[in-house]
């Protein structure tokens, strides 16, 4: 399965998986990147093996919040076109 494949290719990311779902994407802490002040890097590995990294969990959350806020704004704008 995808977890086994990911564990072989990204062993330092397979020890602490933060999230996954109905896609092969996985969000994990990279345990090889511990920084005493910042913590672990967060890594998003997609099913097609593209990798995105953030320097720590806080940076990931701030980045993801911006994505969510943009999505909500787009949905609200789209709803303006619906009849009452």
């Amino acid at each position: 399965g995808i977890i086994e494949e990911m564990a072989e290719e990204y062993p330092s990311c397979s020890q602490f998986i933060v999230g996954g779902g109905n896609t092969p994407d996985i969000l994990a802490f990279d345990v090889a990147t511990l920084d005493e002040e910042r913590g672990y890097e967060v890594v998003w590995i997609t099913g097609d093996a593209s990798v995105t990294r953030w320097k720590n969990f806080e940076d990931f959350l701030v980045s993801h919040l911006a994505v969510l806020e943009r999505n909500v704004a787009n949905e609200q704008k789209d709803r303006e076109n619906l009849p009452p």
Side-chain angles (χ1 to χ4, degrees):
I2 189 70
I3 299 294
E4 294 80 16
E5 293 173 18
M6 198 265 304
E8 290 176 14
E9 192 162 347
Y10 304 98
S12 65
C13 296
S14 63
Q15 297 176 35
F16 197 154
I17 296 173
V18 178
N22 60 352
T23 70
D25 295 7
I26 293 175
L27 185 71
F29 288 108
D30 184 343
V31 298
T33 63
L34 179 60
D35 179 291
E36 293 298 326
E37 293 181 22
R38 294 184 302 182
Y40 296 109
E41 288 183 5
V42 174
V43 184
W44 190 320
I45 305 168
T46 66
D48 64 0
S50 68
V51 176
T52 305
R53 291 181 173 269
W54 292 266
K55 67 182 178 182
N56 58 30
F57 195 56
E58 180 181 3
D59 279 4
F60 164 74
L61 290 174
V62 169
S63 172
H64 197 63
L65 177 61
V67 170
L68 294 174
E69 289 174 334
R70 187 172 52 248
N71 289 345
V72 167
N74 288 337
E75 292 291 331
Q76 288 173 333
K77 186 175 180 181
D78 186 55
R79 292 195 62 76
E80 291 172 3
N81 297 323
L82 295 176

